Structure formats: C-alpha cells, structure tokens
Short mmCIF file of all heavy atoms in Angstrom, two decimals:
data_model
loop_
_atom_site.label_atom_id
_atom_site.label_comp_id
_atom_site.label_asym_id
_atom_site.label_seq_id
_atom_site.Cartn_x
_atom_site.Cartn_y
_atom_site.Cartn_z
N MET A 1 0.81 -1.18 -0.05
CA MET A 1 -0.04 -0.07 -0.08
C MET A 1 0.81 1.23 0.10
O MET A 1 0.54 2.26 -0.65
CB MET A 1 -0.82 -0.01 1.21
CG MET A 1 -2.01 1.08 1.18
SD MET A 1 -3.14 0.69 -0.02
CE MET A 1 -4.27 1.91 0.23
N PRO A 2 2.04 1.27 0.74
CA PRO A 2 2.74 2.60 0.67
C PRO A 2 3.27 2.86 -0.63
O PRO A 2 3.59 4.08 -1.07
CB PRO A 2 3.84 2.35 1.74
CG PRO A 2 3.82 0.95 1.93
CD PRO A 2 2.55 0.36 1.57
N TYR A 3 3.46 1.89 -1.54
CA TYR A 3 4.03 2.06 -2.94
C TYR A 3 3.04 2.64 -3.91
O TYR A 3 3.39 3.16 -4.86
CB TYR A 3 4.67 0.76 -3.42
CG TYR A 3 5.89 0.32 -2.59
CD1 TYR A 3 5.65 -0.93 -1.93
CD2 TYR A 3 6.97 1.00 -2.54
CE1 TYR A 3 6.72 -1.52 -1.23
CE2 TYR A 3 8.07 0.43 -1.83
CZ TYR A 3 7.89 -0.81 -1.16
OH TYR A 3 9.00 -1.24 -0.47
N THR A 4 1.77 2.50 -3.48
CA THR A 4 0.68 3.09 -4.35
C THR A 4 0.82 4.48 -4.62
O THR A 4 0.77 4.95 -5.78
CB THR A 4 -0.69 2.68 -3.74
OG1 THR A 4 -0.83 1.34 -3.45
CG2 THR A 4 -1.83 3.01 -4.74
N TRP A 5 0.96 5.24 -3.59
CA TRP A 5 1.12 6.81 -3.71
C TRP A 5 2.38 7.09 -4.47
O TRP A 5 2.28 8.06 -5.27
CB TRP A 5 1.07 7.41 -2.43
CG TRP A 5 -0.37 7.28 -1.73
CD1 TRP A 5 -0.55 6.64 -0.65
CD2 TRP A 5 -1.48 7.96 -2.23
NE1 TRP A 5 -1.99 6.87 -0.35
CE2 TRP A 5 -2.53 7.58 -1.35
CE3 TRP A 5 -1.87 8.79 -3.36
CZ2 TRP A 5 -3.79 8.02 -1.54
CZ3 TRP A 5 -3.17 9.24 -3.43
CH2 TRP A 5 -4.20 8.87 -2.63
N SER A 6 3.41 6.38 -4.32
CA SER A 6 4.58 6.61 -4.93
C SER A 6 4.52 6.36 -6.49
O SER A 6 4.86 7.17 -7.37
CB SER A 6 5.80 5.79 -4.50
OG SER A 6 6.02 6.06 -3.15
N LEU A 7 3.74 5.26 -6.77
CA LEU A 7 3.49 5.00 -8.38
C LEU A 7 2.51 5.97 -8.83
O LEU A 7 2.78 6.46 -9.97
CB LEU A 7 2.93 3.59 -8.43
CG LEU A 7 4.00 2.51 -8.01
CD1 LEU A 7 3.27 1.11 -8.07
CD2 LEU A 7 5.11 2.42 -8.92
N VAL A 8 1.57 6.35 -8.12
CA VAL A 8 0.66 7.45 -8.74
C VAL A 8 1.36 8.82 -8.90
O VAL A 8 1.20 9.38 -10.01
CB VAL A 8 -0.53 7.70 -7.56
CG1 VAL A 8 -1.36 8.94 -8.13
CG2 VAL A 8 -1.42 6.50 -7.65
N LEU A 9 2.17 9.12 -7.88
CA LEU A 9 3.02 10.49 -8.05
C LEU A 9 3.91 10.24 -9.20
O LEU A 9 4.19 11.25 -9.97
CB LEU A 9 3.74 10.70 -6.86
CG LEU A 9 4.44 12.06 -6.75
CD1 LEU A 9 3.49 13.12 -6.95
CD2 LEU A 9 5.13 12.13 -5.39
N LEU A 10 4.51 9.06 -9.47
CA LEU A 10 5.49 8.85 -10.56
C LEU A 10 4.75 8.95 -12.00
O LEU A 10 5.26 9.64 -12.77
CB LEU A 10 6.09 7.43 -10.47
CG LEU A 10 7.07 7.13 -11.58
CD1 LEU A 10 8.35 8.07 -11.54
CD2 LEU A 10 7.57 5.66 -11.44
N ALA A 11 3.59 8.40 -12.02
CA ALA A 11 2.80 8.42 -13.20
C ALA A 11 2.30 9.89 -13.48
O ALA A 11 2.40 10.31 -14.62
CB ALA A 11 1.46 7.54 -13.05
N VAL A 12 1.82 10.61 -12.49
CA VAL A 12 1.50 12.03 -12.81
C VAL A 12 2.71 12.76 -13.20
O VAL A 12 2.63 13.59 -14.12
CB VAL A 12 0.97 12.50 -11.48
CG1 VAL A 12 0.79 14.12 -11.63
CG2 VAL A 12 -0.47 11.90 -11.25
N GLY A 13 3.90 12.46 -12.60
CA GLY A 13 5.11 13.23 -12.97
C GLY A 13 5.52 12.92 -14.52
O GLY A 13 5.84 13.79 -15.29
N LEU A 14 5.32 11.66 -14.82
CA LEU A 14 5.70 11.19 -16.23
C LEU A 14 4.72 11.82 -17.18
O LEU A 14 5.06 12.25 -18.26
CB LEU A 14 5.72 9.76 -16.34
CG LEU A 14 6.78 9.06 -15.71
CD1 LEU A 14 6.77 7.54 -15.85
CD2 LEU A 14 8.20 9.50 -16.37
N VAL A 15 3.51 11.87 -16.90
CA VAL A 15 2.47 12.56 -17.78
C VAL A 15 2.79 14.01 -17.92
O VAL A 15 2.75 14.66 -19.03
CB VAL A 15 1.02 12.29 -17.25
CG1 VAL A 15 0.01 13.10 -18.01
CG2 VAL A 15 0.63 10.83 -17.34
N LEU A 16 3.11 14.65 -16.86
CA LEU A 16 3.36 16.10 -16.90
C LEU A 16 4.68 16.37 -17.71
O LEU A 16 4.67 17.25 -18.47
CB LEU A 16 3.62 16.66 -15.39
CG LEU A 16 3.92 18.12 -15.29
CD1 LEU A 16 2.68 18.90 -15.81
CD2 LEU A 16 4.16 18.50 -13.89
N LEU A 17 5.69 15.52 -17.55
CA LEU A 17 6.91 15.62 -18.27
C LEU A 17 6.61 15.47 -19.75
O LEU A 17 7.17 16.22 -20.55
CB LEU A 17 7.93 14.68 -17.83
CG LEU A 17 9.20 14.53 -18.58
CD1 LEU A 17 10.04 16.06 -18.37
CD2 LEU A 17 10.13 13.50 -18.09
N ALA A 18 5.80 14.43 -20.04
CA ALA A 18 5.43 14.23 -21.54
C ALA A 18 4.77 15.41 -22.11
O ALA A 18 5.00 15.89 -23.22
CB ALA A 18 4.65 12.97 -21.72
N TRP A 19 3.73 16.04 -21.41
CA TRP A 19 3.06 17.11 -21.85
C TRP A 19 3.95 18.34 -22.09
O TRP A 19 3.80 18.98 -23.02
CB TRP A 19 1.85 17.49 -20.88
CG TRP A 19 1.04 18.62 -21.18
CD1 TRP A 19 0.17 18.76 -22.14
CD2 TRP A 19 1.17 19.78 -20.54
NE1 TRP A 19 -0.29 20.03 -22.14
CE2 TRP A 19 0.25 20.80 -21.23
CE3 TRP A 19 1.92 20.47 -19.47
CZ2 TRP A 19 -0.06 22.03 -20.81
CZ3 TRP A 19 1.54 21.69 -19.02
CH2 TRP A 19 0.67 22.53 -19.79
N LEU A 20 4.87 18.39 -21.13
CA LEU A 20 5.77 19.65 -21.26
C LEU A 20 6.71 19.49 -22.57
O LEU A 20 7.00 20.39 -23.16
CB LEU A 20 6.58 19.89 -20.09
CG LEU A 20 5.88 20.51 -18.80
CD1 LEU A 20 6.73 20.39 -17.56
CD2 LEU A 20 5.31 21.88 -19.12
N LEU A 21 7.18 18.29 -22.69
CA LEU A 21 8.09 17.99 -23.81
C LEU A 21 7.34 18.23 -25.19
O LEU A 21 7.92 18.75 -26.04
CB LEU A 21 8.56 16.62 -23.67
CG LEU A 21 9.71 16.38 -22.71
CD1 LEU A 21 10.18 14.93 -22.58
CD2 LEU A 21 10.93 17.19 -23.01
N ILE A 22 6.10 17.72 -25.21
CA ILE A 22 5.35 17.98 -26.47
C ILE A 22 5.10 19.46 -26.68
O ILE A 22 5.38 19.89 -27.88
CB ILE A 22 3.80 17.29 -26.37
CG1 ILE A 22 4.13 15.70 -26.39
CG2 ILE A 22 2.97 17.72 -27.41
CD1 ILE A 22 2.90 15.07 -26.00
N ARG A 23 4.83 20.24 -25.76
CA ARG A 23 4.66 21.69 -25.99
C ARG A 23 6.01 22.34 -26.25
O ARG A 23 6.08 23.14 -27.15
CB ARG A 23 4.12 22.35 -24.56
CG ARG A 23 2.72 22.17 -24.35
CD ARG A 23 2.17 22.87 -23.31
NE ARG A 23 2.30 24.45 -23.75
CZ ARG A 23 2.03 25.48 -23.02
NH1 ARG A 23 1.52 25.29 -21.85
NH2 ARG A 23 2.17 26.63 -23.43
N LEU A 24 7.08 21.82 -25.71
CA LEU A 24 8.49 22.38 -26.08
C LEU A 24 8.74 22.16 -27.61
O LEU A 24 9.23 23.01 -28.19
CB LEU A 24 9.54 21.75 -25.18
CG LEU A 24 10.93 22.15 -25.51
CD1 LEU A 24 11.20 23.56 -25.14
CD2 LEU A 24 11.94 21.20 -24.77
N PHE A 25 8.46 20.93 -28.02
CA PHE A 25 8.81 20.60 -29.36
C PHE A 25 7.92 21.38 -30.30
O PHE A 25 8.43 21.73 -31.37
CB PHE A 25 8.70 19.12 -29.60
CG PHE A 25 9.87 18.33 -29.01
CD1 PHE A 25 9.70 17.27 -28.17
CD2 PHE A 25 11.12 18.66 -29.34
CE1 PHE A 25 10.70 16.59 -27.64
CE2 PHE A 25 12.26 18.02 -28.80
CZ PHE A 25 11.95 16.94 -27.99
N ARG A 26 6.70 21.60 -30.06
CA ARG A 26 5.81 22.41 -30.75
C ARG A 26 6.28 23.88 -30.92
O ARG A 26 6.34 24.43 -31.93
CB ARG A 26 4.33 22.52 -30.22
CG ARG A 26 3.50 21.37 -30.51
CD ARG A 26 2.10 21.69 -30.01
NE ARG A 26 1.33 20.44 -29.96
CZ ARG A 26 0.36 20.25 -29.11
NH1 ARG A 26 -0.08 21.19 -28.43
NH2 ARG A 26 -0.31 19.12 -29.05
N GLU A 27 6.73 24.44 -29.82
CA GLU A 27 7.29 25.75 -29.76
C GLU A 27 8.57 25.91 -30.53
O GLU A 27 8.81 26.82 -31.31
CB GLU A 27 7.46 26.36 -28.34
CG GLU A 27 6.23 26.61 -27.55
CD GLU A 27 5.24 27.48 -28.24
OE1 GLU A 27 5.66 28.61 -28.80
OE2 GLU A 27 3.95 27.26 -28.29
N LEU A 28 9.42 24.82 -30.52
CA LEU A 28 10.72 24.77 -31.24
C LEU A 28 10.43 24.84 -32.67
O LEU A 28 11.07 25.38 -33.44
CB LEU A 28 11.46 23.54 -30.83
CG LEU A 28 12.28 23.68 -29.46
CD1 LEU A 28 12.91 22.43 -29.18
CD2 LEU A 28 13.33 24.96 -29.54
N ARG A 29 9.44 23.91 -33.09
CA ARG A 29 9.11 23.82 -34.45
C ARG A 29 8.50 25.19 -35.03
O ARG A 29 8.96 25.73 -36.18
CB ARG A 29 7.98 22.89 -34.65
CG ARG A 29 7.87 22.38 -36.04
CD ARG A 29 6.90 21.21 -36.24
NE ARG A 29 6.25 20.83 -34.99
CZ ARG A 29 5.24 20.07 -34.74
NH1 ARG A 29 4.71 19.57 -35.85
NH2 ARG A 29 4.62 19.76 -33.72
N ARG A 30 7.82 25.86 -34.15
CA ARG A 30 7.25 27.19 -34.58
C ARG A 30 8.28 28.22 -34.71
O ARG A 30 8.45 29.08 -35.57
CB ARG A 30 6.14 27.68 -33.52
CG ARG A 30 5.25 28.62 -33.99
CD ARG A 30 4.29 29.05 -32.98
NE ARG A 30 3.33 27.86 -32.68
CZ ARG A 30 2.64 27.92 -31.62
NH1 ARG A 30 2.53 28.76 -30.84
NH2 ARG A 30 1.77 26.75 -31.38
N PHE A 31 9.28 28.21 -33.71
CA PHE A 31 10.48 28.97 -33.72
C PHE A 31 11.35 28.83 -34.98
O PHE A 31 11.69 29.77 -35.55
CB PHE A 31 11.29 28.80 -32.42
CG PHE A 31 12.58 29.65 -32.42
CD1 PHE A 31 12.46 30.95 -32.15
CD2 PHE A 31 13.81 29.06 -32.69
CE1 PHE A 31 13.68 31.75 -32.14
CE2 PHE A 31 14.88 29.75 -32.82
CZ PHE A 31 14.83 31.14 -32.38
N LYS A 32 11.55 27.62 -35.35
CA LYS A 32 12.37 27.24 -36.62
C LYS A 32 11.57 27.78 -37.82
O LYS A 32 12.21 28.29 -38.70
CB LYS A 32 12.52 25.77 -36.67
CG LYS A 32 13.68 25.36 -35.62
CD LYS A 32 13.95 23.84 -35.89
CE LYS A 32 14.93 23.27 -34.94
NZ LYS A 32 15.23 21.85 -35.18
N ALA A 33 10.26 27.69 -37.93
CA ALA A 33 9.49 28.25 -39.08
C ALA A 33 9.69 29.83 -39.09
O ALA A 33 10.02 30.38 -40.20
CB ALA A 33 8.11 27.82 -38.98
N VAL A 34 9.66 30.44 -38.00
CA VAL A 34 9.71 31.98 -37.94
C VAL A 34 11.24 32.26 -38.27
O VAL A 34 11.42 33.27 -39.15
CB VAL A 34 9.44 32.50 -36.64
CG1 VAL A 34 9.81 33.96 -36.46
CG2 VAL A 34 7.84 32.23 -36.41
N GLN A 35 12.14 31.44 -37.96
CA GLN A 35 13.66 31.75 -38.08
C GLN A 35 13.79 31.55 -39.64
O GLN A 35 14.56 32.48 -40.22
CB GLN A 35 14.46 30.73 -37.28
CG GLN A 35 15.91 31.01 -37.36
CD GLN A 35 16.72 30.03 -36.62
OE1 GLN A 35 16.19 28.96 -36.32
NE2 GLN A 35 17.85 30.46 -36.29
N ARG A 36 13.22 30.60 -40.23
CA ARG A 36 13.52 30.41 -41.62
C ARG A 36 12.77 31.64 -42.49
O ARG A 36 13.39 32.20 -43.44
CB ARG A 36 12.76 29.11 -42.12
CG ARG A 36 13.70 27.94 -42.10
CD ARG A 36 13.07 26.70 -42.67
NE ARG A 36 12.70 25.88 -41.58
CZ ARG A 36 11.48 25.49 -41.35
NH1 ARG A 36 10.44 25.82 -42.19
NH2 ARG A 36 11.14 24.75 -40.30
N GLN A 37 11.65 32.10 -42.02
CA GLN A 37 11.23 33.19 -42.69
C GLN A 37 11.93 34.40 -42.52
O GLN A 37 12.16 35.28 -43.54
CB GLN A 37 9.68 33.46 -42.07
CG GLN A 37 8.59 32.61 -42.48
CD GLN A 37 7.31 32.93 -41.92
OE1 GLN A 37 7.24 33.44 -40.82
NE2 GLN A 37 6.26 32.62 -42.56
N VAL A 38 12.48 34.63 -41.44
CA VAL A 38 13.30 35.93 -41.14
C VAL A 38 14.56 35.84 -42.03
O VAL A 38 14.94 36.83 -42.70
CB VAL A 38 13.67 36.05 -39.74
CG1 VAL A 38 14.84 37.00 -39.39
CG2 VAL A 38 12.39 36.36 -38.88
N PHE A 39 15.17 34.66 -42.06
CA PHE A 39 16.45 34.57 -42.89
C PHE A 39 16.07 34.75 -44.42
O PHE A 39 16.87 35.35 -45.14
CB PHE A 39 17.17 33.20 -42.69
CG PHE A 39 17.92 33.19 -41.46
CD1 PHE A 39 17.81 32.22 -40.55
CD2 PHE A 39 18.90 34.07 -41.14
CE1 PHE A 39 18.49 32.12 -39.30
CE2 PHE A 39 19.65 34.06 -39.93
CZ PHE A 39 19.43 33.06 -39.12
N HIS A 40 14.96 34.23 -44.85
CA HIS A 40 14.53 34.33 -46.25
C HIS A 40 14.33 35.89 -46.50
O HIS A 40 14.79 36.32 -47.53
CB HIS A 40 13.22 33.56 -46.44
CG HIS A 40 12.82 33.66 -47.93
ND1 HIS A 40 13.47 33.02 -48.97
CD2 HIS A 40 11.73 34.26 -48.40
CE1 HIS A 40 12.81 33.20 -50.11
NE2 HIS A 40 11.74 33.98 -49.76
N ASP A 41 13.62 36.56 -45.65
CA ASP A 41 13.21 37.89 -45.77
C ASP A 41 14.55 38.82 -45.77
O ASP A 41 14.71 39.73 -46.58
CB ASP A 41 12.35 38.46 -44.74
CG ASP A 41 11.81 39.78 -44.91
OD1 ASP A 41 11.46 40.08 -46.14
OD2 ASP A 41 11.80 40.66 -44.11
N PHE A 42 15.48 38.38 -44.82
CA PHE A 42 16.66 39.17 -44.77
C PHE A 42 17.53 38.95 -46.01
O PHE A 42 18.10 39.92 -46.58
CB PHE A 42 17.58 38.65 -43.51
CG PHE A 42 18.83 39.40 -43.35
CD1 PHE A 42 18.78 40.73 -42.70
CD2 PHE A 42 20.07 38.80 -43.69
CE1 PHE A 42 19.86 41.37 -42.59
CE2 PHE A 42 21.17 39.54 -43.51
CZ PHE A 42 21.09 40.79 -42.81
N GLY A 43 17.59 37.61 -46.65
CA GLY A 43 18.25 37.53 -47.73
C GLY A 43 17.75 38.30 -48.96
O GLY A 43 18.47 38.79 -49.73
N ASP A 44 16.42 38.38 -49.03
CA ASP A 44 15.83 39.15 -50.15
C ASP A 44 16.03 40.57 -49.98
O ASP A 44 16.41 41.20 -50.89
CB ASP A 44 14.25 38.85 -50.09
CG ASP A 44 13.75 37.51 -50.55
OD1 ASP A 44 14.56 36.78 -51.15
OD2 ASP A 44 12.52 37.30 -50.25
N ARG A 45 16.03 41.05 -48.88
CA ARG A 45 16.32 42.48 -48.68
C ARG A 45 17.81 42.84 -48.97
O ARG A 45 18.07 43.88 -49.41
CB ARG A 45 15.79 42.97 -47.17
CG ARG A 45 14.44 43.04 -47.12
CD ARG A 45 14.07 43.29 -45.63
NE ARG A 45 12.55 43.25 -45.31
CZ ARG A 45 11.69 44.13 -45.49
NH1 ARG A 45 12.15 45.47 -45.65
NH2 ARG A 45 10.41 44.21 -45.10
N SER A 46 18.56 42.05 -48.44
CA SER A 46 20.02 42.33 -48.74
C SER A 46 20.29 42.12 -50.18
O SER A 46 21.19 42.88 -50.72
CB SER A 46 20.93 41.31 -47.91
OG SER A 46 20.67 40.01 -48.38
N GLY A 47 19.66 41.23 -50.86
CA GLY A 47 19.85 41.18 -52.33
C GLY A 47 19.40 42.44 -53.01
O GLY A 47 20.01 42.96 -53.86
N LEU A 48 18.20 43.09 -52.56
CA LEU A 48 17.73 44.29 -53.16
C LEU A 48 18.64 45.35 -52.91
O LEU A 48 18.96 46.34 -53.72
CB LEU A 48 16.30 44.51 -52.54
CG LEU A 48 15.18 43.72 -52.98
CD1 LEU A 48 13.90 44.06 -52.27
CD2 LEU A 48 14.91 43.81 -54.57
N VAL A 49 19.23 45.50 -51.68
CA VAL A 49 20.27 46.48 -51.34
C VAL A 49 21.45 46.29 -52.24
O VAL A 49 21.90 47.38 -52.82
CB VAL A 49 20.60 46.37 -49.84
CG1 VAL A 49 21.80 47.43 -49.55
CG2 VAL A 49 19.38 46.74 -49.04
N LYS A 50 22.00 45.23 -52.54
CA LYS A 50 23.08 44.97 -53.37
C LYS A 50 22.75 45.42 -54.73
O LYS A 50 23.58 45.92 -55.49
CB LYS A 50 23.52 43.47 -53.35
CG LYS A 50 24.27 42.91 -52.01
CD LYS A 50 24.39 41.60 -52.06
CE LYS A 50 25.06 41.05 -50.78
NZ LYS A 50 25.45 39.62 -50.79
N ALA A 51 21.51 45.09 -55.24
CA ALA A 51 21.19 45.53 -56.57
C ALA A 51 21.14 47.03 -56.73
O ALA A 51 21.58 47.54 -57.74
CB ALA A 51 19.85 44.89 -56.94
N ARG A 52 20.62 47.69 -55.62
CA ARG A 52 20.59 49.17 -55.71
C ARG A 52 21.96 49.71 -55.72
O ARG A 52 22.18 50.75 -56.36
CB ARG A 52 19.71 49.65 -54.50
CG ARG A 52 18.28 49.36 -54.67
CD ARG A 52 17.58 49.91 -53.48
NE ARG A 52 16.11 49.58 -53.63
CZ ARG A 52 15.26 49.73 -52.63
NH1 ARG A 52 15.55 49.94 -51.47
NH2 ARG A 52 14.05 49.35 -52.94
N VAL A 53 22.86 49.28 -54.87
CA VAL A 53 24.19 49.73 -54.76
C VAL A 53 24.90 49.58 -56.12
O VAL A 53 25.57 50.39 -56.69
CB VAL A 53 24.98 48.94 -53.68
CG1 VAL A 53 26.46 49.21 -53.81
CG2 VAL A 53 24.51 49.56 -52.38
N ALA A 54 24.70 48.31 -56.80
CA ALA A 54 25.25 48.04 -58.21
C ALA A 54 24.70 49.11 -59.16
O ALA A 54 25.36 49.65 -60.00
CB ALA A 54 25.02 46.66 -58.54
N GLY A 55 23.34 49.27 -59.08
CA GLY A 55 22.80 50.38 -60.03
C GLY A 55 23.41 51.73 -59.78
O GLY A 55 23.64 52.46 -60.73
N LEU A 56 23.58 52.06 -58.52
CA LEU A 56 24.25 53.47 -58.20
C LEU A 56 25.67 53.44 -58.84
O LEU A 56 26.00 54.56 -59.28
CB LEU A 56 24.17 53.74 -56.82
CG LEU A 56 22.82 54.05 -56.17
CD1 LEU A 56 22.92 54.17 -54.63
CD2 LEU A 56 22.25 55.33 -56.73
N LYS A 57 26.36 52.47 -58.59
CA LYS A 57 27.73 52.43 -59.15
C LYS A 57 27.81 52.55 -60.69
O LYS A 57 28.57 53.34 -61.23
CB LYS A 57 28.42 51.03 -58.75
CG LYS A 57 28.85 51.02 -57.37
CD LYS A 57 29.48 49.67 -57.11
CE LYS A 57 29.97 49.57 -55.62
NZ LYS A 57 30.60 48.33 -55.23
N VAL A 58 26.87 51.99 -61.34
CA VAL A 58 26.78 52.11 -62.94
C VAL A 58 26.25 53.48 -63.08
O VAL A 58 26.89 54.14 -64.08
CB VAL A 58 25.77 50.99 -63.34
CG1 VAL A 58 25.35 51.32 -64.79
CG2 VAL A 58 26.29 49.72 -63.25
N ALA A 59 25.33 54.05 -62.42
CA ALA A 59 24.89 55.42 -62.64
C ALA A 59 26.12 56.49 -62.53
O ALA A 59 26.28 57.31 -63.41
CB ALA A 59 23.72 55.76 -61.89
N PHE A 60 26.89 56.23 -61.51
CA PHE A 60 27.93 57.13 -61.20
C PHE A 60 29.12 56.97 -62.21
O PHE A 60 29.71 57.94 -62.65
CB PHE A 60 28.58 56.90 -59.78
CG PHE A 60 27.73 57.48 -58.65
CD1 PHE A 60 27.55 56.77 -57.51
CD2 PHE A 60 27.05 58.69 -58.78
CE1 PHE A 60 26.63 57.27 -56.45
CE2 PHE A 60 26.16 59.14 -57.75
CZ PHE A 60 26.05 58.35 -56.61
N ALA A 61 29.31 55.76 -62.63
CA ALA A 61 30.28 55.65 -63.64
C ALA A 61 29.86 56.21 -65.02
O ALA A 61 30.71 56.73 -65.65
CB ALA A 61 30.56 53.96 -63.89
N GLN A 62 28.57 56.20 -65.35
CA GLN A 62 28.13 56.68 -66.59
C GLN A 62 28.18 58.20 -66.38
O GLN A 62 28.55 58.88 -67.45
CB GLN A 62 26.72 56.36 -66.73
CG GLN A 62 26.46 54.96 -67.29
CD GLN A 62 25.07 54.40 -67.49
OE1 GLN A 62 24.10 55.29 -67.08
NE2 GLN A 62 24.86 53.32 -68.01
N ARG A 63 28.02 58.94 -65.29
CA ARG A 63 28.10 60.30 -65.18
C ARG A 63 29.53 60.74 -65.30
O ARG A 63 29.73 61.84 -65.78
CB ARG A 63 27.46 60.66 -63.72
CG ARG A 63 26.03 60.62 -63.82
CD ARG A 63 25.47 61.39 -62.68
NE ARG A 63 25.40 62.88 -63.06
CZ ARG A 63 25.00 63.74 -62.24
NH1 ARG A 63 24.70 63.52 -60.95
NH2 ARG A 63 25.02 64.99 -62.57
N ARG A 64 30.42 59.95 -64.75
CA ARG A 64 31.87 60.32 -64.82
C ARG A 64 32.31 60.32 -66.29
O ARG A 64 33.11 61.11 -66.56
CB ARG A 64 32.81 59.41 -64.07
CG ARG A 64 32.52 59.64 -62.51
CD ARG A 64 33.54 58.81 -61.70
NE ARG A 64 33.15 58.82 -60.43
CZ ARG A 64 33.09 57.70 -59.60
NH1 ARG A 64 33.46 56.55 -60.01
NH2 ARG A 64 32.76 57.73 -58.40
N THR A 65 31.88 59.42 -67.11
CA THR A 65 32.24 59.40 -68.47
C THR A 65 31.77 60.47 -69.35
O THR A 65 32.22 60.72 -70.52
CB THR A 65 32.11 58.02 -69.02
OG1 THR A 65 30.61 57.75 -69.07
CG2 THR A 65 32.74 56.87 -68.35
N ARG A 66 30.70 61.09 -69.10
CA ARG A 66 30.06 62.18 -69.90
C ARG A 66 30.75 63.39 -69.74
O ARG A 66 31.50 63.92 -68.97
CB ARG A 66 28.65 62.30 -69.46
CG ARG A 66 27.91 61.16 -69.80
CD ARG A 66 26.35 61.37 -69.55
NE ARG A 66 25.58 60.17 -69.82
CZ ARG A 66 24.30 60.06 -69.56
NH1 ARG A 66 23.66 61.02 -69.13
NH2 ARG A 66 23.77 58.92 -69.88
#
C-alpha cells in the first residue's frame, strides 16, 4: 500500500513531463519556421540593397564618362 502513492505520483510526473516535452517541441518547430522566414526575408532585402548599390555604381560611372 505505501508504494501506491509513489506509483501514482510517478505516473503523474511522467504525464506532466510528456506534456511539457510535447509543448516544447511544438514551440521549437514554430520558432524554426519563424527563423526560416526571417532569414529568407533578410536574404531578399540584402539582395535588393546589393542591386541598388550596383545600380548606383553604374549610374555614377556613366556620369563620370560624360
């Protein structure tokens, strides 16, 4: 009989641990998805900045030759 409460407490602890791990993995998956979006957006924006800089270099080079 004294082991019954220990087993119940162990079972409740394991269920709680499983529930917390499931929530943690869901949040990690969500975080990774947001991280991928941020890196994709950052790459797009940096590409646009590089294109604008290249366009300005061409424009300045053309002005110098005139």
Side-chain angles (χ1 to χ4, degrees):
M1 190 71 172
Y3 296 113
T4 306
W5 290 112
S6 297
L7 292 175
V8 168
L9 188 59
L10 178 65
V12 169
L14 288 175
V15 168
L16 182 63
L17 179 64
W19 179 71
L20 287 174
L21 286 174
I22 289 170
R23 286 196 58 186
L24 175 70
F25 286 126
R26 277 189 201 155
E27 293 300 322
L28 283 175
R29 198 173 6 167
R30 203 177 292 165
F31 176 76
K32 285 183 181 182
V34 170
Q35 187 180 24
R36 270 187 257 121
Q37 284 179 331
V38 167
F39 281 128
H40 181 72
D41 188 46
F42 184 75
D44 286 348
R45 289 176 186 263
S46 66
L48 289 173
V49 169
K50 287 179 185 178
R52 287 180 182 164
V53 168
L56 287 172
K57 286 181 181 179
V58 169
F60 286 139
Q62 287 176 351
R63 285 195 82 182
R64 286 186 195 138
T65 59
R66 291 183 186 179

